[in-house]
Amino acid sequence: MRSQHKLSLDADLLAHNGDRARSRFALRHVLFAFVAGFLSAALFPLLPSLPLVQILDPTQSLHPRPGSTDVHHYPPSHPTNAFPDLFPSDVGYPGPTPTGAEPALVATAPAYPLHTGPPHLLRPQALSNSSFDIFSHWGNLSPWFSVPPQSFRIDASLDPPQGCRITALHLLHRHGARYPTGTAAYAGPANFSARLRHAPHKWSAHRQLAFLNDWTYKLGEEILTPFGRQQLFDLGVSIRIKYGFLLRNFTASNTLPVFRTESQDRMLLSALNFALGFFGPKLDGQYQQLITIEAPGFNNTLAPSKTCPNARDPARGERALPYVRQWAKVYLQAARARLNSQIDGIDLTIEDVYAMQQLCPYETVAIGYSKFCELFTEDEWRGFDYSVDLNFWYNSAFGSPTSRALGIGYVQELVARLTSTPIAAHNSSTNATINDDPATFPLGLSLYVDATHDTIILNVLTALNLSNFATDGPLPSDHIPTNRSFKTSHLAPFASNVQFQLLACDSAPEPQIRIVINDGVTPLSSVRGCPADEPHGLCPLSAFVSAQRETISKTDWTWACHGEWNVPTGHGWNTTTGEPPAKD
Ligand SMILES: *[C@@H]1O[C@H](CO)[C@@H](O)[C@H](O)[C@H]1NC(C)=O
Ligand SMILES: *[C@@H]1O[C@H](CO)[C@@H](O)[C@H](O)[C@H]1NC(C)=O
Ligand SMILES: *[C@@H]1O[C@H](CO)[C@@H](O)[C@H](O)[C@H]1NC(C)=O
Ligand SMILES: *[C@@H]1O[C@H](CO)[C@@H](O)[C@H](O)[C@H]1NC(C)=O
Ligand SMILES: *[C@@H]1O[C@H](CO)[C@@H](O)[C@H](O)[C@H]1NC(C)=O
Ligand SMILES: *[C@@H]1O[C@H](CO)[C@@H](O)[C@H](O)[C@H]1NC(C)=O
Ligand SMILES: *[C@@H]1O[C@H](CO)[C@@H](O)[C@H](O)[C@H]1NC(C)=O
Ligand SMILES: *[C@@H]1O[C@H](CO)[C@@H](O)[C@H](O)[C@H]1NC(C)=O
Ligand SMILES: *[C@@H]1O[C@H](CO)[C@@H](O)[C@H](O)[C@H]1NC(C)=O
């Protein structure tokens, strides 16, 4: 019985301190462990079984990593008032606890509730009189929002079409707002801060830039911010209210849902926050959380580039940098001149000015407000938003020669789940250990939740052949296409969520599928066999699946990821399907 291996993961994963573990630790146990351990770690950090976070080297703040000028460590390592025995987590006497029906908003409400405006964050006061929404012009750094109606060029209602009901949901979501990642190929807030601090000459700033004179850089790296935590909690609540009724299938079949995430800190914590929103704090026995390993060399469909060297090669899969540089030179000239006139002793480059733009979203989602936001005009924010599109288009989406291969592993899993057929061959990022075991990769269930990254969401949309998002490609680096179809802020913002809905419709004999991205119904007309003009975004499941099978059979992971192909630089290679040159 697997449930006998339930153990307190906190002791193993959080502190590498095995003495409290209730049974021997093994990979298999991690995969199947219930989340109770995590929950107690997350919510009751003073319980006796829980280790306290190891103290960090106090000299670290004197010699911070490049950029960070201000580091605060919480919690204290040896608090003097920690009396775990006096703070039990269960004292009994819970009062009456009768439950009610599962919510089913997508079936019962007259309209669909939209997600607008990030709570807790302050928009720049200089823009407070404008209707311009700065939060939705930050590319992948935007907090997710319900995309405006018809963003995806289909006038479909979010409610299931008349006579249809939802029978299953496959949710693929991104982690919540985080600090900047550790490496920046271009600009990067930490580098900018280091440049200011280590500038060869003394500098001073005035007027709008005067705040820089005593500004300190306060951001860490990689991990979820408090706002990011809330985004995932809210997403969990929202999905429960809309789709809670799907849990009835599990009760009927006496099974638990399996949700998946990766080992990376922000991924794990995003998934747990989602679960807290979806199930509430008593997670024990409600679901099983699979934590796959996200690290170089591990097959993982939700972190596929870790086994795909070409994907990380600037001459192959990651070709965006020159486009971003070119575009920044176009749209930031005026800003550069304007800002340089307000600082003496340092010559701000275009790259510096770009980093100052990045600081606006990064500070806002971490500390709630950023003075940097006020420095730029609406058009400069449109330019920034587009720079992110260039970056993702050429690195991770339709314009990258490795993106289809990177996305195909999840597509194989989706097809397996949709058809209740195990994956036939492991020749991409799929992982036989996980995928061939019905316990870790159950088929045919009514609810799936997978957590991943912005890049992978875009890889997957590319592999699914959703080329209605690629109608302007290859994206130019000298101007913003009017009415563009590819917007990272719409597809892969913080806490982005892609809902694959399965429906049963009175008017159609066979099951239908529909894809809803950040509350926008996605046209499936580009998928072979799906109807060209379906007003509700529906496609018969069998047609959708056979198109995906065709792509799976035509995608060659070994060639895309390990092949010795070369592509000319820049527009010499113009894929809009995420493919490398054909193997000859
Ligand atoms: C916004 O409008 C109000 C009222 O018209 C005005 O007092 C205020 O100065 C304006 N703020 C900005 C930043 O333009
Ligand atoms: C940012 O700083 C790091 C560490 O100093 C360096 O390795 C990296 O090349 C810098 N990146 C940019 C874009 O300047
Ligand atoms: C498959 O995933 C498991 C768990 O994440 C990992 O231990 C194993 O190494 C992976 N297999 C491969 C071939 O990467
Ligand atoms: C990992 O991926 C490689 C490349 O697709 C494949 O050859 C191998 O069989 C996979 N391993 C597992 C355990 O799935
Ligand atoms: C879930 O249960 C509903 C109602 O019984 C049923 O219509 C639906 O097909 C089930 N979904 C799955 C994936 O089994
Ligand atoms: C935007 O593009 C869509 C599809 O390409 C087209 O139908 C629509 O008319 C365009 N709108 C404008 C304002 O150009
Ligand atoms: C992919 O999309 C293109 C249109 O962009 C279409 O011609 C092709 O048939 C599609 N292929 C599949 C397998 O859906
Ligand atoms: C996996 O192998 C099958 C059968 O040989 C082949 O059709 C397919 O292209 C391969 N898929 C990948 C992703 O390499
Ligand atoms: C690629 O696209 C760009 C922009 O549309 C165009 O200028 C260029 O000629 C194209 N290159 C090739 C090789 O087709």
Side-chain angles (χ1 to χ4, degrees):
M1 271 298 293
R2 276 165 173 154
S3 58
Q4 285 170 355
H5 296 309
K6 178 168 125 180
L7 48 87
S8 185
L9 286 184
D10 48 86
D12 298 301
L13 285 191
L14 297 185
H16 314 284
N17 168 2
D19 59 352
R20 291 280 176 172
R22 285 185 288 261
S23 75
R24 219 168 52 78
F25 177 73
L27 171 67
R28 194 159 190 85
H29 300 156
V30 178
L31 298 180
F32 291 99
F34 282 80
V35 292
F38 282 108
L39 176 69
S40 49
L43 293 186
F44 308 112
L46 297 180
L47 290 190
S49 67
L50 290 163
L52 294 165
V53 172
Q54 202 193 336
I55 190 166
L56 292 165
D57 178 359
T59 61
Q60 193 180 332
S61 54
L62 300 176
H63 303 286
R65 299 188 52 149
S68 51
T69 49
D70 196 350
V71 176
H72 179 80
H73 298 297
Y74 187 85
S77 59
H78 302 101
T80 56
N81 64 340
F83 304 112
D85 293 351
L86 297 181
F87 298 88
S89 60
D90 184 359
V91 299
Y93 305 99
T97 59
T99 187
E102 282 299 336
L105 184 145
V106 287
T108 59
Y112 188 101
L114 300 180
H115 187 79
T116 53
H120 313 305
L121 308 184
L122 192 62
R123 62 200 239 108
Q125 297 300 285
L127 291 173
S128 60
N129 286 350
S130 156
S131 61
F132 178 71
D133 178 25
I134 190 172
F135 295 121
S136 62
H137 289 82
W138 289 342
N140 67 322
L141 307 179
S142 286
W144 93 272
F145 53 93
S146 297
V147 299
Q150 303 211 35
S151 293
F152 302 155
R153 283 95 191 261
I154 179 172
D155 189 15
S157 158
L158 280 159
D159 311 317
Q162 276 279 307
C164 296
R165 55 193 177 80
I166 291 174
T167 58
L169 174 74
H170 299 234
L171 178 69
L172 179 65
H173 71 80
R174 189 185 173 203
H175 59 77
R178 55 156 165 76
Y179 282 139
T181 48
T183 51
Y186 180 67
N191 290 59
F192 173 72
S193 151
R195 193 161 127 68
L196 285 189
R197 275 185 301 130
H198 302 135
H201 308 290
K202 205 166 155 44
W203 53 268
S204 70
H206 355 273
R207 287 179 285 155
Q208 267 195 307
L209 281 190
F211 77 94
L212 276 185
N213 294 326
D214 30 51
W215 174 76
T216 58
Y217 183 60
K218 301 180 181 64
L219 311 183
E221 282 174 14
E222 304 278 348
I223 62 172
L224 213 53
T225 68
F227 168 71
R229 184 192 311 156
Q230 186 228 2
Q231 286 187 290
L232 267 295
F233 182 86
D234 281 359
L235 186 62
V237 172
S238 150
I239 296 293
R240 181 67 176 259
I241 291 178
K242 293 184 180 106
Y243 296 102
F245 66 97
L246 294 172
L247 291 173
R248 285 186 214 141
N249 296 56
F250 293 90
T251 312
S253 57
N254 207 13
T255 53
L256 291 176
V258 172
F259 293 177
R260 297 191 304 173
T261 191
E262 296 81 63
S263 55
Q264 211 182 52
D265 188 77
R266 70 170 174 276
M267 297 310 314
L268 178 53
L269 295 184
S270 287
L272 292 179
N273 281 299
F274 178 93
L276 289 173
F278 192 85
F279 295 111
K282 290 185 179 169
L283 286 178
D284 194 9
Q286 302 239 27
Y287 83 125
Q288 299 182 98
Q289 180 71 63
L290 184 67
I291 305 160
T292 60
I293 295 174
E294 173 166 4
F298 291 91
N299 290 19
N300 191 331
T301 57
L302 300 168
S305 69
K306 301 292 184 189
T307 50
C308 181
N310 284 349
R312 301 186 307 273
D313 182 340
R316 294 194 169 110
E318 236 176 47
R319 307 165 74 241
L321 188 54
Y323 298 92
V324 176
R325 274 187 193 284
Q326 282 159 14
W327 171 238
K329 276 195 197 121
V330 173
Y331 86 94
L332 284 176
Q333 288 301 347
R336 182 184 176 202
R338 188 174 70 241
L339 296 176
N340 267 325
S341 75
Q342 304 180 49
I343 190 164
D344 300 324
I346 196 166
D347 180 24
L348 298 173
T349 63
I350 291 287
E351 193 166 348
D352 291 330
V353 174
Y354 188 80
M356 292 165 85
Q357 273 199 304
Q358 292 177 310
L359 271 156
C360 159
Y362 275 128
E363 284 193 334
T364 303
V365 300
I367 58 178
Y369 187 74
S370 174
K371 289 291 278 181
F372 288 95
C373 301
E374 301 170 8
L375 303 178
F376 299 95
T377 65
E378 295 181 14
D379 271 350
E380 286 158 0
W381 286 118
R382 291 190 183 95
F384 178 77
D385 197 37
Y386 185 60
S387 75
V388 179
D389 295 340
L390 284 170
N391 185 46
F392 282 90
W393 173 274
Y394 288 108
N395 275 355
S396 309
F398 302 91
S400 161
T402 51
S403 60
R404 184 203 266 186
L406 293 175
I408 207 71
Y410 181 81
V411 174
Q412 289 173 280
E413 292 181 333
L414 181 67
V415 167
R417 287 164 167 176
L418 290 173
T419 59
S420 293
T421 313
I423 292 170
H426 297 283
N427 54 1
S428 67
S429 57
T430 57
N431 179 322
T433 313
I434 292 165
N435 295 125
D436 291 352
D437 188 332
T440 47
F441 190 71
L443 301 174
L445 300 185
S446 61
L447 179 65
Y448 293 95
V449 177
D450 288 321
T452 191
H453 298 271
D454 46 9
T455 47
I456 289 100
I457 290 180
L458 294 172
N459 297 156
V460 169
L461 302 182
T462 305
L464 288 169
N465 203 32
L466 301 185
S467 39
N468 287 301
F469 294 121
T471 53
D472 309 303
L475 296 186
S477 49
D478 56 355
H479 69 280
I480 307 180
T482 47
N483 190 19
R484 73 189 185 280
S485 56
F486 182 80
K487 282 192 183 172
T488 313
S489 60
H490 286 179
L491 302 177
F494 286 136
S496 183
N497 52 98
V498 180
Q499 301 172 20
F500 298 86
Q501 297 174 336
L502 289 193
L503 303 97
C505 301
D506 297 340
S507 56
E510 65 163 311
Q512 306 284 308
I513 189 167
R514 193 165 83 136
I515 305 181
V516 177
I517 304 175
N518 294 319
D519 294 348
V521 176
T522 307
L524 298 181
S525 52
S526 62
V527 177
R528 178 169 302 164
C530 292
D533 252 332
E534 218 294 322
H536 307 290
L538 295 172
C539 179
L541 184 60
S542 61
F544 181 85
V545 162
S546 56
Q548 302 312 331
R549 282 187 169 144
E550 183 186 326
T551 309
I552 290 168
S553 72
K554 284 188 181 155
T555 303
D556 186 340
W557 167 272
T558 308
W559 175 244
C561 288
H562 300 279
E564 288 282 319
W565 47 270
N566 285 299
V567 289
T569 55
H571 282 306
W573 182 251
N574 267 347
T575 180
T576 56
T577 53
E579 289 174 281
K583 191 175 177 178
D584 39 42

